[in-house]
Amino acid sequence: MLTTMPQVSSSPTYLKLPPDMSGWEAPHYLVLAVAVLLGFEFYRHALPHLFPNAKQLRARGKHLDKLSSKDYAFMVCNEALTIIMAINYLQYAAGSSRVVWKADQVERVANVAASTTCSGSGCLQLTIGNTLGALAGMFVVYDFVYTLLHRALHHRLVYAYIHKHHHRQVVPTRGNTDAINVHPIEFALGEYNHLLAFYVVSQMVVPCHAMAGLAFLVLGGALASLNHTRLDLRLRLPGMAIPIFDVRAHDTHHCIPMSNYGQYIMMWDWVMGSYKYYEAADKTA
């Protein structure tokens, strides 16, 4: 009697990543949730220690020493929102032909350079454009929207109801704890802005490698956390009038709220005239 042997795909197993999320069950979502929560713990407890030689910016105002039950409730809610956003983020990355990480996707994306990380038809295709270029584009798009959103949240008609909660802390020190201690409405808008930036860049600018999308989330979380540590860290390129990233800029925002609305980069504040140098807040100390 002849028996039919089960067919085994010759494609490397990693080409099936990410899994088809329509088939996800509770354990898959649990693993993702744990990964997100571990990320929060890394930002809180490990990230600041990666910069042991960084100087501490001086306090320019009164520190909020004790967090309330409302603060903790908001933070728990915002961690849950991050998990939900991460699921949606992965769903977009898994389903879009403009996010490159599978061989069949690579073939469908036009104008992708020929360099690959390995040889053969099953390679993940990496280029400068779909990694570093896409990553830079996502930060630019994100902060364009965030600068406008943040500025709107400071409008007198809505400030007291949403954004004022975050500004109870004039001297941020706790890193990620202070960073996510915001009203859940504001937090949700900020988190889903990452997905919007990922979508805009991948659909309208350049196909994005999945690693660029992941790096955008991880680096974004790190920079937002560092913004609330008062560690004197900055990234400046030669010839630029303002740094690309500067903890001093966000520290100044907590002293002079109607300034430095950007989350990661200060380019749009510079363009829109809302950028303030760190020294401008000295008179409020």
Side-chain angles (χ1 to χ4, degrees), residues 40 73-82 180-184 187:
F40 277 116
F74 277 5
M75 287 187 285
V76 170
C77 182
N78 292 339
E79 289 180 350
L81 284 170
T82 303
I180 69 170
N181 187 12
V182 301
H183 193 288
F187 191 84

Side-chain angles (χ1 to χ4, degrees), residues 45 73 85 88 91 99 134 146 149 151 171 177 251 269 277 285:
H45 302 295
M85 191 282 297
N88 297 148
Q91 285 173 330
V99 178
Y146 188 86
L149 170 65
R151 190 167 194 157
V171 186
T177 297
D251 190 71
D269 282 284
Y277 288 97

Side-chain angles (χ1 to χ4, degrees), residues 5 10 14-16 40 65 71 81 102 115 147 155 171 174 178 187 213 219 228 233 265 272 280:
M5 298 296 293
S10 61
Y14 65 78
L15 290 183
K16 299 183 182 299
F40 277 116
D65 295 323
D71 293 318
L81 284 170
K102 294 197 283 187
S115 61
T147 299
H155 192 280
V171 186
R174 300 182 182 93
D178 284 338
F187 191 84
L219 285 175
H228 295 82
L233 299 170
I265 61 176
M272 298 176 190

Side-chain angles (χ1 to χ4, degrees), residues 80-190:
L81 284 170
T82 303
I83 294 171
I84 296 171
M85 191 282 297
I87 293 171
N88 297 148
Y89 197 88
L90 186 56
Q91 285 173 330
Y92 170 70
S96 174
S97 63
R98 299 280 294 181
V99 178
V100 181
W101 56 0
K102 294 197 283 187
D104 58 337
Q105 288 177 313
V106 172
E107 294 171 1
R108 293 198 303 267
V109 175
N111 301 322
V112 177
S115 61
T116 58
T117 58
C118 60
S119 59
S121 62
C123 297
L124 303 182
Q125 188 131 3
L126 290 165
T127 71
I128 296 296
N130 69 24
T131 52
L132 295 180
L135 181 61
M138 283 185 272
F139 277 110
V140 171
V141 172
Y142 178 96
D143 260 318
F144 174 73
V145 176
Y146 188 86
T147 299
L148 297 175
L149 170 65
H150 194 176
R151 190 167 194 157
L153 289 173
H154 276 273
H155 192 280
R156 60 186 177 84
L157 294 180
V158 297
Y159 177 74
Y161 301 103
I162 299 177
H163 194 51
K164 184 179 180 179
H165 178 84
H166 184 64
H167 275 279
R168 291 165 56 245
Q169 179 61 279
V170 181
V171 186
T173 305
R174 300 182 182 93
N176 185 261
T177 297
D178 284 338
I180 69 170
N181 187 12
V182 301
H183 193 288
I185 292 177
E186 175 184 351
F187 191 84
L189 291 172

